[in-house]
Amino acid sequence: MKIWKLRCVSNNYASLLGIENVYSFDEIRSFNGRSLINEWKPIKVERIRSKEDECKMLGDSPFAVQVGGLPVLSKRAVNVLEPILKGHAEFLPLICKEGDFYAVNVTTVLNATNWEKAKAIPFKKTNTNKIMRFEKYAFLPEIVKDIPIFRLQDEILRLPFISNWVADTIDAFQLRIAKILVWDSEHEDDNSLYPVYPY
């Protein structure tokens, strides 16, 4: 079993910037897996203009600033992925002259960390055990095995994880979506396979 993490990268594709109806930090903190479909205010976004991005395409999951920390997908990607993510994510429309794009609100939040093998660094100067970042992910297979997309309860505001069959679908349809392998149940003791800090 393999688990991947979606990535927001701006190296190969152009990026988007939220310019209207941008959510505040306190509102973003409430994006904790609850449904947003009935209260969503479509954010108006525009392409970030820079000399470096002039000739770049937006891709199927452009890096987006001021969109509530949510990943963004193109209409093409939503058409492919919505059937297999149904029940685990909401696709919230953005307003964009460049095309149809959607913020993805992942509503499945799991307590699925295998703390016998995972490694994490907590926030300093606090009396809580809140995670600043993971050095190594490890999951409980019985919890994640049938879930196509999810967030971790331990880092609920970070980018979501996807199953191997979702990653395979992304590749099969040649969607321009960045992802990174963060866990393989058959090689979870080999630390060299995974990045130290997979964004």
Side-chain angles (χ1 to χ4, degrees), residues 51-106:
K51 290 183 178 179
E52 294 80 10
D53 286 348
E54 282 182 0
C55 299
K56 293 180 180 178
M57 298 183 299
L58 280 168
D60 291 306
S61 184
F63 179 72
V65 183
Q66 301 276 45
V67 186
L70 301 175
V72 170
L73 293 180
S74 68
K75 178 64 173 178
R76 174 174 175 257
V78 169
N79 287 340
V80 171
L81 296 176
E82 185 173 21
I84 58 178
L85 302 184
K86 188 175 182 180
H88 299 277
E90 300 172 334
F91 300 93
L92 309 172
L94 303 175
I95 301 171
C96 181
K97 292 181 179 180
E98 302 274 349
D100 294 329
F101 291 91
Y102 298 80
V104 183
N105 178 40
V106 177

Side-chain angles (χ1 to χ4, degrees), residues 7-152:
R7 298 185 69 194
C8 287
V9 295
S10 57
N11 295 338
N12 300 321
Y13 300 103
S15 303
L16 294 173
L17 173 67
I19 58 173
E20 290 183 16
N21 289 338
V22 174
Y23 287 82
S24 70
F25 179 69
D26 285 338
E27 288 174 313
I28 292 169
R29 290 180 64 186
S30 75
F31 295 176
N32 55 7
R34 66 186 179 86
S35 174
L36 300 174
I37 198 77
N38 293 324
E39 61 186 81
W40 179 252
K41 299 174 295 183
I43 299 172
K44 185 175 181 180
V45 297
E46 64 179 20
R47 183 189 181 109
I48 295 177
R49 302 293 178 181
S50 66
K51 290 183 178 179
E52 294 80 10
D53 286 348
E54 282 182 0
C55 299
K56 293 180 180 178
M57 298 183 299
L58 280 168
D60 291 306
S61 184
F63 179 72
V65 183
Q66 301 276 45
V67 186
L70 301 175
V72 170
L73 293 180
S74 68
K75 178 64 173 178
R76 174 174 175 257
V78 169
N79 287 340
V80 171
L81 296 176
E82 185 173 21
I84 58 178
L85 302 184
K86 188 175 182 180
H88 299 277
E90 300 172 334
F91 300 93
L92 309 172
L94 303 175
I95 301 171
C96 181
K97 292 181 179 180
E98 302 274 349
D100 294 329
F101 291 91
Y102 298 80
V104 183
N105 178 40
V106 177
T107 55
T108 295
V109 179
L110 302 179
N111 184 10
T113 301
N114 180 352
W115 285 110
E116 292 184 0
K117 296 187 176 181
K119 296 179 182 179
I121 298 176
F123 281 102
K124 296 180 179 179
K125 300 180 181 179
T126 67
N127 295 322
T128 69
N129 292 320
K130 289 185 176 180
I131 301 302
M132 180 174 71
R133 64 181 175 91
F134 276 86
E135 289 188 322
K136 178 185 177 182
Y137 290 104
F139 300 96
L140 299 170
E142 64 274 16
I143 295 179
V144 301
K145 63 179 180 179
D146 295 319
I147 308 299
I149 189 169
F150 64 92
R151 292 181 185 271
L152 266 186

